[in-house]
Structure formats: structure tokens, C-alpha cells
Amino acid sequence: MKLVAIYNAWSDCLDLLEKSIDNIAPVVEGVYVVWSNQSNHGQNIPFTFRHPKAQFFHCEPVPGFAPHDNEITKRNFGLIQAKKDGFSHFLMMDCDEFYVQQDVFDGKVQMIHDDLNGLVCPLRVYIKEPTLWCTDHTLVPFIQKLTPEVTVGSHKHFPFAYDDLGHAHIDPTRRPSHRDRVKMSSAVMHHFSYVRQDMELKINNSSANLKRSREVIYRDLENARPGYVSELYHRELQECEDLFKIKGPKQL
């Protein structure tokens, strides 16, 4: 297996990107950062971040394209390069996403042993501090097989994308085109979505259009503590150790 972690990057949480690369690099064979100066919503901030363990590829949003479409284009840009470089498997990531290294090791073994096209895993979302989290209904594609024809996007046939009631559970910008041989993994993706100093950048430039939830997010940030029920996720916040040694923001 030759596994590459492919980051979709902009300038909203580069402190987390550095820590995420440091964490994932020892358990993969390559790290790509597909970056842009402009967000999918048009905000321009020069991207000056570099990391010695990663390769960097420039891909700007296409003017006039919907944010959703530009996100998909950017992710597939990284896949095209990975195919050229001979990688056999890939792991799509964003700047604020982390995996326990042992989970990646175990996922590699499972992929080969079970002859899979992909793995899917649940996630924890962190609010305000790297020690406060709750579960989410969302699932995320984990390690995926890289074939010449595979792409990512709003592939409705990807296993686990929808439940039996038709509710979506996987981000439509990152569903692989695999149709079968996809299993649930015991891994967990740790999503530090609301652990950053500049929450305005997150809200104003997210593909998920978080502007609708601005007031709810800020109430969650203000009230976050163990036992608090998140208004955004309708789940109780739990406390854990700082697994990835992420220092919480001084002020949000």
C-alpha cells in the first residue's frame, strides 16, 4: 500500500494544519496540500504556509462556480496528482481533521486483508476546546482505494452516504465513486471544527453555509462545558484529554 493524505487547504486554520500534518505524516507514504489564496466564497488571503513533510499544489476556485462545485474540483485536483505519482490509496482531509495513528495502521491492514475499496468511520466534533467533544450523525470516508477511474463528489451510490430513511450522512463534496466493498471502520475522525481563533473565517467561508447557524454556534462556544447539550448537534458535550496536544484558542 502506498497511502497519501490529501488536504484541502485555505488560510482559516493553519495552526491546526501544521499539527495535523505532523500527526499524519508518520503513518502515510505521502502528504499533499492542495491550497488556494481564495476561499470558495471569494475571500482572498495569501496562502504562505509551508511544511517540510508535505507537497503543495495550487488550485484556485473557478469564478462563477458554486462553492460546492469548487470544493469538489479542488479535491479531485489532488486525486489526479496522486494517480500520476503512483499512490494506491488515499485519505481526504481538511486542515482541522485528525486521526489517531494506530487507527490509520489498523485501517491499512483491514483494507488489504478484506480486499476493500474503502472504509468509512464516525467522527467526534470538538467545540471551543480540544478537550470538549460530542458525536455527530455525520460519517466520513476513511482510507480509500485509488483506481484510475475513481473520483470524489456527490456520488449518491457510495455506501453509507444515505441511511434507510434517505437521510444523508456523508459530505457530498467528498464521497468516492466506489459502489461496493466498503466497510465501517472502528477508527474515529477527530474534527476540531470549532477550535480556532477566528471563527468568522470559518462561518463566512464554509461550504456547509454555517451563516444560518451563526447565533447557535456562538451560544455553543459561550456555554461549552462538560454536560452542556450543544444546540447545533443536540448532543451532550463530553470531556477528554488533549489527544493531539492542541492548545485551545485564547479567545473566540
Side-chain angles (χ1 to χ4, degrees), residues 114-208:
D114 293 348
D115 188 26
L116 299 177
N117 282 324
L119 290 168
V120 169
C121 68
L123 61 85
R124 293 180 177 184
V125 60
Y126 290 74
I127 298 177
K128 189 175 183 177
E129 301 289 348
T131 54
L132 288 175
W133 65 276
C134 65
T135 57
D136 184 15
H137 75 89
T138 304
L139 301 172
V140 63
F142 186 33
I143 299 172
Q144 304 293 314
K145 189 172 184 179
L146 183 58
T147 61
E149 66 279 358
V150 71
T151 61
V152 295
S154 54
H155 299 297
K156 295 183 178 180
H157 53 257
F158 181 69
F160 303 102
Y162 294 87
D163 62 23
D164 292 340
L165 298 176
H167 300 139
H169 291 282
I170 296 179
D171 179 350
T173 73
R174 61 198 296 175
R175 298 170 189 163
S177 54
H178 299 309
R179 291 178 175 271
D180 57 15
R181 302 209 322 273
V182 177
K183 286 187 177 181
M184 185 65 68
S185 169
S186 60
V188 173
M189 190 267 272
H190 299 263
H191 194 189
F192 292 88
S193 189
Y194 303 105
V195 181
R196 62 193 72 202
Q197 293 196 19
D198 196 335
M199 192 56 62
E200 288 295 316
L201 284 180
K202 166 73 174 182
I203 293 173
N204 292 333
N205 294 279
S206 172
S207 295

Side-chain angles (χ1 to χ4, degrees), residues 2-229:
K2 187 179 179 183
L3 173 64
V4 59
I6 305 175
Y7 286 89
N8 180 9
W10 185 60
S11 297
D12 65 330
C13 57
L14 298 183
D15 55 332
L16 291 177
L17 176 58
E18 180 176 15
K19 293 177 184 295
S20 183
I21 292 175
D22 285 341
N23 177 70
I24 202 70
V27 291
V28 297
E29 285 66 55
V31 177
Y32 288 175
V33 176
V34 182
W35 62 274
S36 62
N37 292 311
Q38 192 173 88
S39 79
N40 291 326
H41 289 265
Q43 186 165 355
N44 198 300
I45 300 177
F47 188 91
T48 59
F49 175 88
R50 289 294 182 269
H51 194 291
K53 298 177 182 177
Q55 292 179 263
F56 290 78
F57 302 93
H58 185 198
C59 181
E60 292 291 340
V62 178
F65 276 32
H68 171 97
D69 293 330
N70 274 318
E71 184 99 348
I72 291 173
T73 297
K74 198 172 179 181
R75 294 191 190 282
N76 281 302
F77 186 92
L79 274 189
I80 291 170
Q81 186 62 46
K83 293 173 186 178
K84 292 179 181 178
D85 290 344
F87 285 95
S88 64
H89 294 77
F90 69 94
L91 174 57
M92 282 289 170
M93 299 186 69
D94 287 340
C95 300
D96 53 7
E97 298 178 357
F98 291 71
Y99 290 93
V100 172
Q101 291 179 351
Q102 187 60 52
D103 284 350
V104 179
F105 277 123
D106 294 345
K108 285 178 159 184
V109 172
Q110 184 179 4
M111 285 288 296
I112 299 300
H113 182 269
D114 293 348
D115 188 26
L116 299 177
N117 282 324
L119 290 168
V120 169
C121 68
L123 61 85
R124 293 180 177 184
V125 60
Y126 290 74
I127 298 177
K128 189 175 183 177
E129 301 289 348
T131 54
L132 288 175
W133 65 276
C134 65
T135 57
D136 184 15
H137 75 89
T138 304
L139 301 172
V140 63
F142 186 33
I143 299 172
Q144 304 293 314
K145 189 172 184 179
L146 183 58
T147 61
E149 66 279 358
V150 71
T151 61
V152 295
S154 54
H155 299 297
K156 295 183 178 180
H157 53 257
F158 181 69
F160 303 102
Y162 294 87
D163 62 23
D164 292 340
L165 298 176
H167 300 139
H169 291 282
I170 296 179
D171 179 350
T173 73
R174 61 198 296 175
R175 298 170 189 163
S177 54
H178 299 309
R179 291 178 175 271
D180 57 15
R181 302 209 322 273
V182 177
K183 286 187 177 181
M184 185 65 68
S185 169
S186 60
V188 173
M189 190 267 272
H190 299 263
H191 194 189
F192 292 88
S193 189
Y194 303 105
V195 181
R196 62 193 72 202
Q197 293 196 19
D198 196 335
M199 192 56 62
E200 288 295 316
L201 284 180
K202 166 73 174 182
I203 293 173
N204 292 333
N205 294 279
S206 172
S207 295
N209 191 20
L210 293 176
K211 294 178 185 179
R212 297 175 303 174
S213 306
R214 178 189 296 269
E215 293 183 3
V216 171
I217 292 168
Y218 278 109
R219 283 199 298 270
D220 274 358
L221 291 170
E222 181 180 356
N223 296 309
R225 64 186 181 278
Y228 168 74
V229 178

